[in-house]
Amino acid sequence: MPMPSGRLDADADAPRYAVFGQPIAHSLSPRIHATFGRQLGIALDYRAIEVGRDGLAATLAEFAAAGGCGANLTLPLKETAAALCATLSPRVRACGSVNTIVRNGSGWHGDSTDGAGLVRDLTVRHGIDLRERRLLLLGAGGAARAVLPALLDAGVGETILVNRTPQRADVLADAFAAHRVRACRWHELAACGAFDLVVNATSAGHGATMPHLPASLLAAHAVCYDLSYGPAARDFLAWARAAGAARSLDGLGMLVEQAAEAFACWHGAHPDTDPVYAALREG
Ligand code: NDP
């Protein structure tokens, strides 16, 4: 049987799962899924496999031939993966981004658990009521597209999108115009009033600088959330604290929650995420 690229030689009897991405070496997903499996007594072999967009189709075919049952997709593969799936969940049809695939007969079924992961982290872990919150969403990439429908489903109120490349924010806002969503330009933000919730779904924290954000964006009791975590979330969260945010949160909880949603897709059981989150927080 052909073996996929990566490290699929140990635990030969356990059902195979993986996270594909580029770069992938520092992914926390293998640790998270191994811990979930131990917690629920489910044997699994979950590896990180490095592959770029061009190699994804062949690597997924290899993985399936070697018995791969399911996988996660991360940067830069989420849209490419959607095109390779035989079937897509309604969540993917709403956002065009796949982060979880399940082997289904002779093809892959694509799903997106990022939005559910963010909403669960905000509402269940942090106890935040999202209903009618005025939302500013920074970014219009894959993650922004994945979290917007979930935040709207959770009941957020008027929503403004801003993106470095304004046309991408326009396209996203147009797709959700029926839900009080509109785009604005970055330089117009100061005139947009105050927001209850500001979600940073840009990748600017990975070594770039974000355009200026006025402190006047934050309402009293505003919550600021960066989808990134670790050093990549540092600058945005420092801005949030300096601007007077009541809560400033990073995306580590979302990472654990989207993984738990993927785990439930594959294994039919939802793990307890709190101990895994606490362990990752400790380092
Ligand atoms: P994409 O590459 O699809 O999108 C990147 C977005 O960031 C685009 O909107 C891009 O704007 C914007 N951007 C990039 N650089 C800058 C900059 N210097 N200033 C302003 N905007 C910028 O990435 P994703 O959407 O997949 O991921 C976004 C972030 O979310 C990443 O940091 C990722 O790690 C994080 N993430 C976290 C998850 C979690 O579980 N915690 C899950 C998924 C993502 P433009 O359109 O102009 O290029």
Side-chain angles (χ1 to χ4, degrees):
M1 183 181 294
M3 296 296 288
S5 47
R7 307 173 295 124
L8 288 184
D9 49 352
D11 270 342
D13 294 336
R16 290 174 175 179
Y17 298 87
V19 57
F20 296 98
Q22 190 173 53
I24 201 64
H26 296 103
S27 172
L28 294 171
S29 294
R31 179 176 164 194
I32 294 171
H33 281 275
T35 309
F36 288 163
R38 278 196 299 278
Q39 185 191 99
L40 290 168
I42 295 172
L44 57 93
D45 177 348
Y46 186 111
R47 308 293 178 95
I49 297 176
E50 173 119 5
V51 62
R53 287 193 188 96
D54 291 346
L56 183 60
T59 303
L60 273 184
E62 257 183 290
F63 180 63
C69 306
N72 290 127
L73 292 307
T74 187
L75 278 172
L77 305 174
K78 292 182 180 182
E79 282 142 47
T80 311
L84 295 173
C85 288
T87 55
L88 297 172
S89 71
R91 298 194 282 203
V92 174
R93 288 197 290 275
C95 72
S97 162
V98 161
N99 80 334
T100 301
I101 56 174
V102 189
R103 195 71 189 159
N104 194 354
S106 59
W108 293 105
H109 175 71
D111 201 352
S112 173
T113 66
D114 282 335
L118 171 63
V119 167
R120 204 174 155 87
D121 189 43
L122 281 166
T123 59
V124 178
R125 173 163 297 106
H126 297 295
I128 295 164
D129 185 350
L130 293 172
R131 288 171 296 177
E132 286 305 319
R133 293 277 186 145
R134 190 162 187 265
L135 167 67
L136 173 61
L137 181 59
L138 308 172
R145 289 203 308 277
V147 302
L148 179 59
L151 289 166
L152 293 169
D153 280 351
V156 295
E158 187 194 12
T159 296
I160 292 189
L161 311 181
V162 65
N163 191 51
R164 180 178 60 178
T165 306
Q167 294 78 9
R168 297 182 81 192
D170 292 343
V171 169
L172 185 57
D174 285 350
F176 293 94
H179 300 265
R180 291 186 289 161
V181 177
R182 66 183 172 89
C184 87
R185 301 295 183 252
W186 214 288
H187 67 269
E188 295 169 341
L189 269 180
C192 284
F195 294 88
D196 307 305
L197 176 63
V198 179
V199 174
N200 180 22
T202 78
S203 56
H206 296 276
T209 305
M210 185 123 79
H212 173 69
L213 292 170
S216 61
L217 288 178
L218 300 188
H221 310 298
V223 174
C224 291
Y225 192 104
D226 197 328
L227 266 49
S228 298
Y229 47 87
R234 191 182 48 214
D235 288 354
F236 175 74
L237 296 183
W239 169 83
R241 283 188 290 271
R247 315 272 303 268
S248 49
L249 307 167
D250 73 12
L252 191 66
M254 172 181 169
L255 177 77
V256 177
E257 296 304 331
Q258 63 78 28
E261 296 280 324
F263 191 95
C265 286
W266 298 327
H267 307 290
H270 203 285
D272 178 4
T273 54
D274 284 344
V276 181
Y277 174 74
L280 290 176
R281 205 36 101 193
E282 278 169 23

